Amino acid sequence: MDKAFATAVMPTLSNKKALARVALIDLKEPARNTLSECFRQFGIESVLLTGNAVERLKKEKFEACVIKLGPEAQAVMDSARTSASNSRIVLYAVGGSAQDAMRYSKYGINAIFHEPLERPAVLKLVRATQMLVLHEMRRYVRIPVITEVAVVMGDGRRVTATSIEVSSGGMSLRSAEDISIGQSAEISFALLTLPRIWVRCGVTWRNPTGKAFGIRFDQQDERRFRIKEWVDAYLEG
């Protein structure tokens, strides 16, 4: 790859850290308030989803969700687990017995809040599982940062792009070139505290009305861990 690409970067980072978000699915008071308060103590923001939960879980990223076990639970859990963004979501169930939970075992329920919800018990469970939620947030948190990115497509074509956001799993980029979903590539870029790095990737989405596209780092390419370290350092900072 051409090493002459500029290493200058214009960060657009904010001092405000991104919060992990937990979706509360069709929950009523006082359960909703109890859960929100307990999650808030660990820096996790609660978002109430009502009748549009299935669609929002397909399109919007959450680090965790809480759903009451019942007739509509399966559709919601299926939506989360089959979503590209939420397939690894931390899944909490409310109510039901162990047998009820086993009925949904294929969705990998992580923990169950037993009814009636009592604040000490809820707080204890959130404390025990909060690192799962925050770890999921770190996997997907997107840091806005602008730098020049050299892209070598699988067919040998060289493209220049500009980064929009970077996460430990991939990047969103902008380029006037024709980029197709499913193409393999290798990218090269540098950040202020990250020397130039090369990593293999694949194109996962393209904005049909604009110039933006997204890439996911190759899980077999260990060089991606340097990017994860950079993201972790930002979050710690």
Side-chain angles (χ1 to χ4, degrees):
M1 284 193 173
D2 186 1
K3 296 185 179 181
F5 281 96
T7 59
V9 62
M10 182 173 62
T12 58
L13 307 182
S14 167
N15 290 328
K16 183 179 180 181
K17 305 302 184 187
L19 287 174
R21 300 197 306 161
V22 56
L24 306 183
I25 313 293
D26 292 325
L27 294 174
K28 296 180 173 60
E29 296 293 4
R32 186 172 67 201
N33 187 55
T34 299
L35 288 164
S36 296
E37 287 184 356
C38 292
F39 278 113
R40 187 184 303 120
Q41 289 198 29
F42 297 95
I44 301 169
E45 177 187 8
S46 297
V47 180
L48 178 64
L49 304 189
T50 52
N52 60 348
V54 170
E55 289 303 315
R56 287 189 66 177
L57 286 171
K58 287 180 180 177
K59 301 174 181 178
E60 194 173 343
K61 173 63 188 165
F62 295 92
E63 284 67 50
C65 75
V66 182
I67 181 168
K68 186 175 177 64
L69 291 182
E72 298 180 359
Q74 183 169 342
V76 175
M77 290 189 284
D78 186 71
S79 175
R81 290 302 191 210
T82 57
S83 163
S85 297
N86 294 310
S87 61
R88 294 173 179 262
I89 199 169
V90 179
L91 189 59
Y92 296 92
V94 174
S97 63
Q99 288 182 331
D100 293 328
M102 288 301 296
R103 192 178 307 141
Y104 304 104
S105 60
K106 70 176 183 178
Y107 297 111
I109 294 174
N110 297 99
I112 298 177
F113 294 108
H114 296 291
E115 294 182 306
L117 296 185
E118 297 180 352
R119 192 174 185 281
V122 171
L123 198 59
K124 182 178 180 180
L125 183 56
V126 173
R127 180 183 292 111
T129 55
Q130 48 121 354
M131 291 309 297
L132 284 175
V133 179
L134 297 177
H135 172 74
E136 186 64 10
M137 184 271 289
R138 288 189 175 208
R139 291 182 71 254
Y140 287 96
V141 66
R142 296 168 176 85
I143 301 174
V145 61
I146 300 173
T147 190
E148 192 170 56
V149 180
V151 184
V152 177
M153 307 305 301
D155 57 9
R157 186 162 50 105
R158 293 175 176 265
V159 172
T160 300
T162 303
S163 66
I164 303 171
E165 295 175 323
V166 59
S167 75
S168 58
M171 299 178 75
S172 56
L173 305 165
R174 182 177 289 110
S175 175
E177 299 291 333
D178 183 24
I179 307 293
S180 300
I181 297 174
Q183 288 184 293
S184 61
E186 186 173 19
I187 63 170
S188 169
F189 64 95
L191 300 173
L192 284 175
T193 56
L194 178 68
R196 180 160 294 277
I197 184 174
W198 290 261
V199 62
R200 294 188 302 274
C201 62
V203 180
T204 55
W205 61 269
R206 173 85 193 193
N207 185 339
T209 60
K211 301 176 181 179
F213 65 98
I215 58 97
R216 179 175 297 172
F217 303 135
D218 187 338
Q219 296 296 299
Q220 304 302 314
D221 193 334
E222 294 186 355
R223 294 175 294 183
R224 66 188 173 86
F225 290 117
R226 290 177 57 197
I227 302 169
K228 180 181 183 301
E229 290 171 358
W230 185 87
V231 170
D232 287 346
Y234 166 73
L235 293 173
E236 294 290 348

